[in-house]
Amino acid sequence: MNQATVGTDTFDEFVERARQFHGYPAPGLLLGGFMVEEAKSHIPEGVLFDAIAETAWCLPDAVQMLTPCTVGNGWLKVLNLGIYAVTLYDKSNGIGVRVAVDEKLLSRWSEMHTWLMKTKPKREQDSVLLRQQIAQAGINVCRITPVNVQTQAVARKGKGRIASCPLCNQPYPLDHGRICRFCQGEAPYDITPNPGSAFDGPADLTVLPVDEAVGQAALHDMTRIDPGVEKGPAFTRGQVLSAGDVCRLQQMGKNHIYVERTTAASEGWVHEDDAARAFALGLSGTGVELMGDIREGKANLVAACDGLLQINTDILEAFNMVSGVMAATRHDGLLVKQGARIGATRAIPLYLPESALGQATRILDDSPVLNVLPLRPAQVGILVTGTEVANGLIEDKFEPVISNKLEALGCTAGGTTVVPDDRSAVCEGIQKFIATGCDLIITTAGLSVDPDDVTRQGLVDAGAEDVLYGAPILPGAMTLLAKIGEVQVLGVPACALFYKTTSLDLLLPRLLAGCELNRRDLARLGHGGMCSECKTCTFPKCPFGK
């Protein structure tokens, strides 16, 4: 056994080095020593190389012991594929060698086979025999294969922009989100000794039995609920309680209440009403306003105009990660009317620590969560494609479908043109609409895989750019989006003739609101993008597009 070597070490010397580095001489590390040294022998002297370990168990430590490659310096990449294999390759061109354990080559080494294939529990394995067989077998249980590594697939990504997490003030890569991964809940521990203690409020809050509170002012709104009839504040903050109020409070289940005292406004704490007002200000963007006064610690947000509701879901999620605060909204992409309630926010406890208020409001510094974007009254050209329609073989039924939807959104039809399935005719029809001042062109049909469908080609001939063909929406998978200069183009597939609600109903409002849609925007519509095709359509009061 002493005759076996791992690099410049005897096997016994390598066992001791493994013990010091790894904590104990794990079989995987010992075998890994032979594998790494074999891979090194195939790398020309002087060549800078990187390493890939295909398991997270023991083998990466062999790489770190015997090469300059470590996880910390980024030269060792651990791809946990669950395979006992290691690759060393030239940093400059990806050419290298892969050394991998082959189960068929273990037949001579029974204890190694038992260990690697886990055919016996660890306590029943013969560790002395196993170590002897590893020393004797060495690299003979491995396959060595030349490889050409796709270096871009395993390249170490930079940290990117660094920001200070608004919750914990620790620097972190901004690519991880609006708050660090620790504060997103990925930490394996909780550093807060008593999470509930943050909600206790000022130490000098005054609590009185209701019959002793006559003449005192209520510290907060108190809600009365009459099931199925009414829910609202029966008593408001600052209201001075009278003798007649005692019975009402007791009927509401209030036997003790908080009352206002000048000392209650302790430093370091914020009343729920004041916190809600601050949150409402930060959450609100264009076309959003506060509805009335803060009541019951809650701020309601409403649309200040008709339009498309836009929600920054990333910031909303980060805001709601702050302990003791909340904000809830209606769904992104919803058409709303002026005065419609679109969101609400509040602090959870009666008094919120100023630190939590600061954390929450800092998240809102970069961008508001809610915007209502008004729809422009576009002048729209409707291009109906289809040789069968152009030749009068069938009646066009597309134009009324499109016109009705445009009228409902306040748009003006700049004319309808019917052209055959001919790319030059499609191109000419598009150009005529642009010349008449249309800022949105809707084409119908001609978007399937049939050889006669040439609408896409005609659009390209007309100068269409940023073409997005296909969307994860049913009905409407063959939808097309493009731009010709500043003119928006929306290609509506033939399914809109049959289905009342399609991709047209999701995308048209977004275009009219000025949204610059990209492939990622369309990809996100796949979640909820399947219509249930109900016999009685209730859109938009349904899950479609949400």
Side-chain angles (χ1 to χ4, degrees), residues 279-302:
F279 298 155
L281 181 64
L283 291 162
S284 300
T286 302
V288 181
E289 60 187 13
L290 179 64
M291 182 180 74
D293 297 327
I294 308 294
R295 282 287 173 259
E296 301 169 283
K298 180 174 64 179
N300 289 306
L301 303 175
V302 297

Side-chain angles (χ1 to χ4, degrees), residues 467-480:
V467 177
L468 296 173
Y469 175 54
I473 305 171
L474 291 172
M478 299 292 187
T479 296
L480 181 144

Side-chain angles (χ1 to χ4, degrees), residues 470-506:
I473 305 171
L474 291 172
M478 299 292 187
T479 296
L480 181 144
L481 292 171
K483 292 192 77 173
I484 303 176
E486 295 301 315
V487 177
Q488 296 171 313
V489 178
L490 174 57
V492 180
C495 62
L497 275 174
F498 181 78
Y499 295 101
K500 182 179 179 181
T501 304
T502 66
S503 57
L504 173 62
D505 300 274
L506 302 184

